[in-house]
Amino acid sequence: MLLDLLFPNRCLHCNTIISKDELVCHVCFPQIKFSHFNFYEENPLKQRCKLLFPVKNAYAVMEFQEEALSQKIIHQLKYRSQEKVGKIMAEWTLERIYLSEKPDVLITVPLHPKKLKKRGYNQLHVFADTLSKNWEIPHHKEALKRNSYQKAQAQKDKSHRAETKYDFSLTEEISGKHVLLIDDVFTTGNTISAIAWEILKNPRNEVSVLVMAFDS
């Protein structure tokens, strides 16, 4: 393909030419700081979640580090329209999580309609759709809506991230379900917590959390 010759895919870290289906070269891949958390056991993400809301299980694929590969990967997904990143992240997730007890439904954090129109896609949907297909768990893309427009967490300095207020609502009834709530980066936990409490208004529901990266 002419475009592949003119604009070859390059490693996010060292700029080496790589296959179009890859993000980083085999030399740089070990520099990605995968979390090695256990989905069913205590881990730092689960401990953080437990301070905010009742959580059943929690998992982060990577540890988020500023100016490191994890940040570059997330930014490719969110701000560079690289939806393939979601599929690759899902493949990494599938290699690291074996579900002995499946959640009933996958729910992704929604974008506000204004932001969705500007970006053109929800960066979580390819990720969740790939997991949904492999795990055979339905992904309810429209189960939540975001009612207020906020500046992206990644575009704020850390001192102002905790000030953000979130307003979410369910668009469908969820009752007696174990929901796996999916987001890209866990920073303050404000987003996940606001949604979790909305789901947990029904005491018959349970919430687990899956994020691509955990900012510890």
Side-chain angles (χ1 to χ4, degrees), residues 107-108 110 141-148 166-174 194-195 197-199 201:
I107 292 181
T108 41
K141 293 183 177 70
E142 311 298 333
L144 282 165
K145 68 175 181 177
R146 188 188 293 253
N147 301 315
S148 55
Y166 294 94
D167 181 17
F168 297 92
S169 57
L170 289 170
T171 61
E172 61 185 65
E173 182 179 359
I174 297 177
I195 296 172
W197 281 114
E198 189 67 25
I199 295 168
K201 283 180 179 178

Side-chain angles (χ1 to χ4, degrees), residues 19-201:
S19 164
K20 64 180 181 179
D21 298 321
E22 296 178 310
L23 294 178
V24 295
C25 68
H26 70 280
V27 174
C28 295
F29 185 80
Q31 297 186 48
I32 301 173
K33 194 168 183 182
F34 289 105
S35 71
H36 304 295
F37 292 167
N38 187 307
F39 184 66
Y40 295 105
E41 296 178 0
E42 289 294 314
N43 59 63
L45 174 59
K46 184 174 181 179
Q47 290 167 3
R48 285 272 294 279
C49 289
K50 285 168 68 175
L51 295 174
L52 301 170
F53 59 91
V55 64
K56 186 175 177 69
N57 303 304
Y59 188 86
V61 184
M62 305 181 296
E63 293 185 30
F64 188 84
Q65 298 173 306
E66 292 188 1
E67 307 302 324
L69 256 175
S70 56
Q71 184 183 55
K72 292 177 182 178
I73 290 168
I74 296 298
H75 279 205
Q76 285 289 314
L77 176 66
K78 295 181 72 169
Y79 307 118
R80 301 280 181 151
S81 300
Q82 294 289 322
E83 289 188 82
K84 72 172 185 181
V85 179
K87 185 175 186 299
I88 293 171
M89 286 292 301
E91 291 169 353
W92 292 348
T93 304
L94 291 165
E95 291 169 0
R96 289 163 174 79
I97 295 181
Y98 171 73
L99 291 181
S100 57
E101 178 187 349
K102 288 186 181 182
D104 298 302
V105 61
L106 309 181
I107 292 181
T108 41
V109 173
L111 295 176
H112 187 274
K114 182 177 178 181
K115 186 172 289 185
L116 181 61
K117 184 177 180 180
K118 181 179 179 181
R119 187 174 293 173
Y121 68 100
N122 184 321
Q123 72 275 7
L124 298 173
H125 284 176
V126 172
F127 177 71
D129 284 343
T130 304
L131 296 177
S132 172
K133 180 179 179 180
N134 282 270
W135 284 338
E136 298 182 331
I137 301 171
H139 171 208
H140 289 199
K141 293 183 177 70
E142 311 298 333
L144 282 165
K145 68 175 181 177
R146 188 188 293 253
N147 301 315
S148 55
Y149 183 79
Q150 299 286 351
K151 185 177 180 181
Q153 290 283 80
Q155 296 175 6
K156 302 178 182 180
D157 60 64
K158 285 193 174 183
S159 64
H160 290 92
R161 288 176 183 171
E163 298 174 2
T164 304
K165 300 297 181 184
Y166 294 94
D167 181 17
F168 297 92
S169 57
L170 289 170
T171 61
E172 61 185 65
E173 182 179 359
I174 297 177
S175 179
K177 300 295 184 182
H178 176 195
V179 175
L180 181 58
L181 185 55
I182 297 174
D183 201 2
D184 44 34
V185 183
F186 186 104
T187 51
T188 64
N190 287 347
T191 304
I192 293 287
S193 179
I195 296 172
W197 281 114
E198 189 67 25
I199 295 168
L200 293 170
K201 283 180 179 178

